[in-house]
Amino acid sequence: MLSLLLRDAHNPRVQLKYTRNVAFASNEVKRKRGRPPKSPLEPTPDVITTSTQAHPSEGGHSLALSLNHYFRLPPLPPVGDWLTHFPYAPPVVRDRISIRDPASAIQVAQSFVNSKKTSTGNPKIIIEAFPGPGALSRAFLTLPPSQLQKLIILEDHEPYLEYLRPLARADPRVRVVPLSGFNWDTYSHLLESGDLDVNIYPWEELHPELHFVTHIPQTIPGEQLVAQLFRCIPEKSWLFKYGRIPMSFILADWVWRRISAQPKGAERSTNTIRIGGSGLRPETRRRGSPFLAVNVVPHAQQVIDKGKLDQWDYILRRLFVLKSTPLRGAISSLAPGAEVLLDRLTDKKLPAVQRVDIRLMVKHLTISDWALIARAFDAWPFAPEDLNIDSFVAYERE
């Protein structure tokens, strides 16, 4: 689905140095149990030490200038004091991660904005959610006005806000909104407050200004957030009501694997079909719990038509209950009499590309297969109108 929902999903190919709050917790537990600390020469899970030199193609001089600008901004606390300033204990931030290294943050910011797929030649209005204390936010501010016209920061954790609010005083392009990017009402607030004042553009063209950026928390709700954002694409809801906007994520490698698993991958799931599955997995050199920087751009043509997302949800969830069963044996789970759909899916009068191999297990079906199944289901005159996942179970019990 990633290849169908999204035109581009790639790694900016930069090395990240970040802080992961949950890792501090695990290390503290180890010390309390009497385990000796790791040697200073060995990278620890919570702080990934990597080279921060720019690649030659990125221009070391440009990075030096950006770093000079970065360090003129209101500073973050010394890295060694981050645990004191940003304790891991509050559940609201326990599983959040933040880039901390200035050079890494600058490379990521430039890759997000200046990618061939995301750059439009116009200054960006960036909405940044879950910024943490703001290393990436500061990196965005090293971009010139010709590339960044406004940075809207969404953060509701007060220890982080302490280091974000000074940015608004230092640069007039910054607007700090003390609300969570996880809540949909936050985006309505941006519109009502006048902070988000952008034009609506045709879906066929990439939105020239608006760009959404976020760190994805390393939790199941974080994965669900990614799923929800992608689900908004075919419905053209949320920020997509303004047009086809690019999104950039910093997310855990395991989340990326789940949303981009190939048909025979062990991690393939219903979310993979809805929002991922092309196998365009970014490279990573990280040990432990790696994180990836990824740009995603929606396709101009969507495989899921507007208003059909509930139908796709129903089909996927019903069939994935029997994910290891061949389609010919699983299709009856859609509704009584659904076996009749097999004739349409295997009709030899149709070209081969419009037929489905019903011997394949459900979890091995391709995106094209799912599109054909959805089309057949939509054309079936006896398809259930109630697409609640529990409706068929209730019918069987009566």
Side-chain angles (χ1 to χ4, degrees):
M1 187 81 133
L2 195 58
S3 59
L4 295 170
L5 278 181
L6 309 172
R7 188 181 69 177
D8 181 50
H10 71 283
N11 178 20
R13 297 180 185 275
V14 297
Q15 298 183 351
L16 303 184
K17 189 180 288 185
Y18 64 89
T19 292
R20 181 165 60 94
N21 288 326
V22 69
F24 282 125
S26 63
N27 284 350
E28 291 297 318
V29 170
K30 288 180 181 178
R31 292 190 185 98
K32 289 178 181 179
R33 291 176 180 172
R35 297 182 184 178
K38 293 188 177 183
S39 166
L41 298 178
E42 181 181 356
T44 58
D46 55 312
V47 179
I48 305 301
T49 55
T50 63
S51 170
T52 59
Q53 293 182 350
H55 296 288
S57 61
E58 295 171 341
H61 182 63
S62 176
L63 178 59
L65 291 176
S66 296
L67 283 169
N68 186 45
H69 187 173
Y70 184 101
F71 289 116
R72 291 202 305 268
L73 293 167
L76 289 167
V79 171
D81 296 338
W82 273 41
L83 184 57
T84 301
H85 288 272
F86 313 121
Y88 63 82
V92 69
V93 295
R94 186 171 299 162
D95 296 311
R96 288 180 56 178
I97 57 99
S98 303
I99 292 182
R100 66 166 201 186
D101 179 71
S104 294
I106 288 170
Q107 292 178 53
V108 169
Q110 292 177 349
S111 296
F112 282 169
V113 173
N114 296 322
S115 160
K116 292 181 180 179
K117 300 296 186 181
T118 62
S119 176
T120 61
N122 293 284
K124 294 277 190 174
I125 297 174
I126 293 178
I127 299 176
E128 184 189 10
F130 300 105
L136 183 60
S137 307
R138 286 164 170 78
F140 281 129
L141 296 180
T142 67
L143 298 172
S146 61
Q147 296 180 17
L148 177 71
Q149 61 171 298
K150 180 184 280 191
L151 177 63
I152 302 173
I153 299 174
L154 307 179
E155 179 58 71
D156 63 346
H157 187 53
E158 188 58 38
Y160 292 156
L161 286 168
E162 181 181 345
Y163 289 90
L164 293 170
R165 290 192 180 104
L167 297 180
R169 296 191 289 269
D171 193 316
R173 296 177 295 176
V174 178
R175 174 71 170 94
V176 178
V177 179
L179 298 173
S180 173
F182 197 83
N183 298 327
W184 298 118
D185 289 345
T186 296
Y187 303 95
S188 298
H189 170 81
L190 294 181
L191 180 61
E192 295 167 0
S193 65
D195 290 321
L196 185 58
D197 184 15
V198 295
N199 295 321
I200 297 175
Y201 285 83
W203 188 260
E204 292 72 26
E205 61 181 275
L206 189 66
H207 200 289
E209 299 175 328
L210 196 55
H211 193 140
F212 181 75
V213 176
T214 182
H215 289 72
I216 300 295
Q218 186 174 281
T219 58
I220 294 300
E223 180 187 6
Q224 293 171 343
L225 174 62
V226 176
Q228 287 295 324
L229 297 182
F230 281 115
R231 285 169 60 86
C232 293
I233 295 174
E235 294 297 318
K236 297 180 175 60
S237 58
W238 185 57
L239 295 178
F240 295 109
K241 66 184 179 182
Y242 298 106
R244 192 159 56 95
I245 69 165
M247 298 187 292
S248 299
F249 302 144
I250 296 175
L251 76 174
D253 178 69
W254 65 267
V255 175
W256 179 258
R257 290 200 309 269
R258 282 177 59 83
I259 69 173
S260 61
Q262 299 186 47
K264 295 188 178 180
E267 294 167 309
R268 194 167 175 83
S269 65
T270 56
N271 277 342
T272 308
I273 306 301
R274 293 189 191 98
I275 64 174
S278 71
L280 297 173
R281 181 170 176 268
E283 292 181 3
T284 175
R285 301 183 183 91
R286 304 281 65 77
R287 289 183 280 177
S289 298
F291 282 79
L292 309 172
V294 181
N295 286 329
V296 292
V297 178
H299 266 310
Q301 297 296 325
Q302 294 292 306
V303 67
I304 303 177
D305 294 330
K306 187 174 183 179
K308 298 295 184 182
L309 190 57
D310 287 344
Q311 188 180 85
W312 273 74
D313 279 346
Y314 178 86
I315 294 169
L316 289 168
R317 293 175 68 185
R318 291 302 309 173
L319 290 178
F320 255 85
V321 171
L322 302 171
K323 63 181 180 180
S324 296
T325 302
L327 178 61
R328 62 186 173 192
I331 199 140
S332 60
S333 67
L334 291 178
E339 296 89 343
V340 70
L341 298 179
L342 296 176
D343 293 336
R344 181 181 178 89
L345 296 173
T346 58
D347 189 350
K348 294 184 178 180
K349 295 180 182 179
L350 297 174
V353 294
Q354 297 182 25
R355 299 198 300 266
V356 178
D357 185 352
I358 61 176
R359 298 170 299 177
L360 289 174
M361 287 188 288
V362 169
K363 63 183 180 181
H364 292 167
L365 295 170
T366 66
I367 298 300
S368 297
D369 293 334
W370 286 107
L372 293 171
I373 293 168
R375 185 174 68 180
F377 184 86
D378 187 53
W380 184 32
F382 300 104
E385 296 182 2
D386 183 1
L387 299 180
N388 187 307
I389 191 64
D390 298 322
S391 61
F392 186 32
V393 175
Y395 177 85
E396 288 178 330
R397 290 175 179 173
E398 293 177 355

